[in-house]
Amino acid sequence: MLIEKYDLEVFTPPCEPGAERYAARARLTTDISEILPYLNATLRGAVYLPQANALTWKKGGHNIAFHAYEIATSNVGDRDGAEKELRGLIDLVNRTWERRAQITPDQATRQRPTPMAIYKLLPHTNCQQCGEPTCFTFALKLAAAQKQLADCPPLFAPPYAEKLAALQAIVIPAPAIG
Ligand code: SF4
């Protein structure tokens, strides 16, 4: 296990008093720098900055950051949710560490796919099978990791095979946390 001890703090960011959004931070006693390229290889939309020894990630509209001795999440709707998410992130790091022999580490700094880049590859039928009013709304949520490719059934029909392959290349499935 990579992370065994940490101090966890949940707070409202000072720049958002009264905003009813919460942040959580775990201060670590272990340097987790070594795991960042492995997280970069497996987390959809992660942005790894080797010079800063940092990796940022968005999941479900939450802003997540991994540093050498700190993991943080922000923009969470309630205090319990912030704490639960942070414990899930620590578990994610430990699980990734356990299976690192099966992962090819990735040192590249990638840009997150933009909603427009995703939208261009969607069927553009606005059929609403994904539960969203339009394909563009779906693209916005997919870019923010609030939706999965599997939520758009038409994409898996033969006419969209090429577009699906292109989307799969830029949208890595998000791992479960928590
Ligand atoms: S299910 Fe797919 S094609 Fe239909 S509206 Fe949603 S994104 Fe567009």
Side-chain angles (χ1 to χ4, degrees), residues 122-136 138-139 151-155:
L122 291 175
H124 298 176
T125 59
N126 297 331
C127 70
Q128 303 186 355
Q129 289 181 57
C130 56
E132 300 302 328
T134 65
C135 292
F136 191 71
F138 179 80
D151 295 328
C152 172
L155 261 183

Side-chain angles (χ1 to χ4, degrees), residues 12-33:
T12 303
C15 55
E16 300 176 40
E20 296 182 1
R21 305 300 292 177
Y22 290 86
R25 176 167 53 210
R27 295 186 197 280
L28 314 175
T29 55
T30 309
D31 183 349
I32 63 165
S33 304

